[in-house]
Amino acid sequence: MSSATVGIEVFDVDLTAAMSVAFNDHQYDYVVAPLVHPRFVRDVNAHNAIGGFTRSDTLLGSSQWNNQVLGTTSSWLELDALDEPLRVRSEAAFKQEIAWAAHLGLSAVIIPPPREPAVNYARCVARALAGLHYLRLLVRIPLVASPPLSGEGATAGGGGPVLDGDVSWRWWNQMRVLCDHHKNLYPALELTADLPSDPAVLERWCGEPVQVLILPTSIFLANRHGFPVLSKAHQAFVLRMSNHRVQYVVSGVARSDKGGMASYAEYMRHLLQRDPAKAQAGDAFDAPYRDVLQAPLQPLQDNLESQTYETFERDPVKYDLYEEAVRKALLARFPDASVTVVLMVVGAGRGPLVRAAFRAASAAKRTLRVYAVEKNPNAVVTLMAQKESLAQWRDSVTVVSADMRTWQAPELADILVSELLGSFGDNESSPECLDGAQKFLKPDGISIPRSYVSFVAPITSHRLHNEVRAMGGDAKHFETPYVVKLHNVKLLAPPQPCFTFVHPTPQPANNDRFGSLTFRVDCDALLHGFAGYFDATLYDDVHCSIEPSTHSPAMFSWFPLFFPLRSPTLVTAGAPLTVSFWRRTDGHRMYYEWAVTAPFVTSIHNPGGRSYYIGL
Ligand SMILES: C[S@@+](CC[C@H](N)C(=O)[O-])C[C@H]1O[C@@H](n2cnc3c(N)ncnc32)[C@H](O)[C@@H]1O
């Protein structure tokens, strides 16, 4: 189903005829069809039941089954029926249908909404998942649940007073928790005429692994020419979800004779194509990094590679901000243009901050004497090459191959420029390095950055949780923070400041920190961990930030940090959620510990840095 986008739900007995109409006449990409047509009568308990309970697999080629058909299970199944014979029959039929879908090589089967209690249903799903390799099970979840209708085949949106968007999310949540967060279980979200009134309840689906959006024809309105369109609110939600690589399924009968079923497919394509965000989304620089967990860099312990420097240098925004900070500092603190200002770039890498400093000096009409201090001998080669080839460098740059913590500077600096920041601000040992470097900063000298604050926010992300599990799911992997472009994620509360570092700092410095933060989450959700960000004050009002509310526009040098929790746990809207974070150092290592203490208590993650630390 890789290239497919808009599918249609069909119920015809003749599948190939239905596919021909759907693809050729109506321009859909795939069909959603019952695995067993209700007209096929069968007795699943009979020994001879296997032969002939549905159409033959030879009806289509395996690539067609895989790319052009999604299955649905029979609507008569009642896996939680009190009537035991019906339940037993339903269980056997469910097992048989899922096995058949796997045999056909379908990519996914849509299974019915798990209306409460749905406990035995969940057991059957868990059992089925345990035996599957590729087939995904998509649980049909109405966006807003209605009370069940009596009788077979009741689907949400079919009538009755609307409850709210929490009920149906809880169906999904119970199903995935009972199925132990299985990686092949996903929601297929069915839009309803009413959307949840609380935006947080709607936004919560952005943290869930929604694979399919089902669009009943009943939710479409008619435009002034009689063609189907979605309301503005529905459009906004569809476009929001389109960022998450969902597939669409149109379900139901054509409500107007204008264009018939073809007009729904045409409208969906038109809607999705005209969205500029969607058009850019696939090509965006960050697209390959979304929800991909990366180990944070260890620039102190390891020597960064050329490619890593190249990636840094591709982001002009960071260097523009540093240039502006240096320019402002030069103008504010060095009014006499005839004085040569001593500026040291500590951790100079391949020299982009040296170049930014020269641009700032030229804009401010000031003269610099620059020291470029770098401990990575490979980056020093690049710095030396620039000193040899560039006149400006030859005259005014001294390249120093040294660790800033132990270097004996020949003179004191007026301005100390560094970029040793990690996604959480202090997580790449900037405080420890700058403590060493500030001994060669004049007492009234300026550090750029002046300070940085780390921020923490609770998040729900089924996807990130499963990414950590896929690494082995052991304590070590759940006690490690990851750099990750957060995408299939919902923030449950605005980020709050956690640790602050100011430079220069009174010595001897204590870089250990402890912060306890209490959040009010905006909707019931499964808490999977915490996002970490930073906001650095470079100089005066020049900030370099990845905290969402102050994010430096178009800057992509840093992705946030993800601190996982070993056990995802339910948090409820409005109830206080308290988490504690520790930054600990022991002379050779720096590490974080974290634990939730309300509304439930977790163990302290990464005690003593047993699973993850940064070498100093
Ligand atoms: C994040 S990179 C920034 C490089 C460059 N300034 C830039 O903005 O592209 C940090 C640099 O600091 C260097 N570094 C880290 N700790 C250092 C230390 N203690 N002494 C000298 N250089 C250090 C690393 O080798 C790396 O080149």
Side-chain angles (χ1 to χ4, degrees), residues 299-300 304 309 312-313 318-319 347-349 352-353 373-376 402-405 419-420 428 433:
L300 190 53
L304 302 181
Y309 287 116
F312 293 156
E313 291 162 18
K318 176 180 103 177
Y319 301 111
L353 289 178
V373 183
E374 175 53 57
K375 61 99 200 168
N376 177 354
D403 187 317
M404 70 180 85
R405 293 170 297 175
E419 192 285 275
L420 304 158
E428 288 182 11
C433 290

